[in-house]
Amino acid sequence: MKTLPIVQIQTTPSLLSMDADPGSFSIRQPKAEVQLNTRPAKLTVESHPIQLNVDQRDAFSAYHGGNMFDMNKRIYSGIQQSFLENMAERVQQGNQLAAIHKSGNTIANIVGFNWQTKPFPETRTPASYDNVDIRVDTRPPDINFQPAVSEMNVIVNKPEIAYQRGKLDIYVKQYASVQYTPPAIDVGL
């Protein structure tokens, strides 16, 4: 029996090829810039000199009478007082002389006791342990304190972002084909 010749059909599929590289990110952020300024604390202490006052006027007045103005003032008031005392004494003596009728009131008895001179008024003041006045004036120091001050400035740098695109290549690696192979023909008939 004879068989019919068969046509052979051969197909090859098409092949697509994809070559893909992913994209890449690069992120970089420079460091922040920090500026720190500090003003140091300041302490100032200003002290005032001590004032020593010594008043020796009363001591000098007791030693030698003091200044001329004060000494003359004491002499004047002392002479005035002596004058009044002498006048009172003379009046008393006159009254004794007027009472001649009393025994023992003779001129010799009255004037005999008045032979001593009256002292000149004292030109000095009485001496005392309290004649020198000492005064010490002190003032507290002026203290001024300024605390330290710190200032901080921070400059933040923005991030630097870079993106490189990837690639996508699509190509046909193998084209589709259909191949027909006919049967062999017997030409010998």
Side-chain angles (χ1 to χ4, degrees):
M1 176 158 144
K2 262 186 154 185
T3 60
L4 285 171
I6 298 176
V7 175
Q8 286 185 350
I9 302 173
Q10 216 179 9
T11 62
T12 56
S14 69
L15 292 176
L16 291 177
S17 180
M18 290 187 197
D19 186 10
D21 291 333
S24 65
F25 274 104
S26 88
I27 299 176
R28 187 177 82 78
Q29 183 173 13
K31 288 184 179 180
E33 296 174 20
V34 178
Q35 296 173 348
L36 182 62
N37 295 326
T38 302
R39 187 180 71 211
K42 187 177 182 183
L43 175 66
T44 56
V45 178
E46 182 181 348
S47 60
H48 304 285
I50 296 174
Q51 293 181 349
L52 174 65
N53 295 321
V54 179
D55 186 3
Q56 299 182 24
R57 287 182 291 186
D58 291 341
F60 290 146
S61 178
Y63 295 153
H64 55 73
N67 62 25
M68 291 301 286
F69 179 74
D70 291 338
M71 190 166 55
N72 286 339
K73 191 173 168 184
R74 282 191 293 278
I75 291 172
Y76 177 74
S77 65
I79 289 177
Q80 192 175 17
Q81 184 66 28
S82 292
F83 175 76
L84 292 175
E85 288 174 4
N86 288 337
M87 184 179 284
E89 189 177 334
R90 294 287 181 222
V91 168
Q92 183 183 3
Q93 286 175 356
N95 289 339
Q96 282 180 352
L97 285 175
I100 201 130
H101 58 281
K102 291 185 180 179
S103 64
N105 279 346
T106 62
I107 294 176
N109 287 340
I110 294 172
V111 179
F113 293 110
N114 195 13
W115 61 271
Q116 291 181 338
T117 60
K118 299 289 182 189
F120 194 72
E122 182 60 54
T123 59
R124 297 171 294 176
T125 57
S128 170
Y129 67 91
D130 204 20
N131 278 350
V132 177
D133 292 331
I134 298 174
R135 192 175 79 229
V136 178
D137 293 333
T138 59
R139 286 174 43 195
D142 294 334
I143 299 173
N144 187 10
F145 176 71
Q146 294 176 350
V149 176
S150 294
E151 296 174 354
M152 178 186 263
N153 291 333
V154 178
I155 299 172
V156 178
N157 295 318
K158 293 183 179 179
E160 298 171 359
I161 301 173
Y163 175 71
Q164 290 182 339
R165 292 188 317 183
K167 69 174 184 171
L168 177 61
D169 289 337
I170 301 175
Y171 58 93
V172 178
K173 190 174 185 181
Q174 175 182 331
Y175 288 100
S177 66
V178 177
Q179 193 176 28
Y180 296 99
T181 310
I185 296 178
D186 190 12
V187 256
L189 286 174

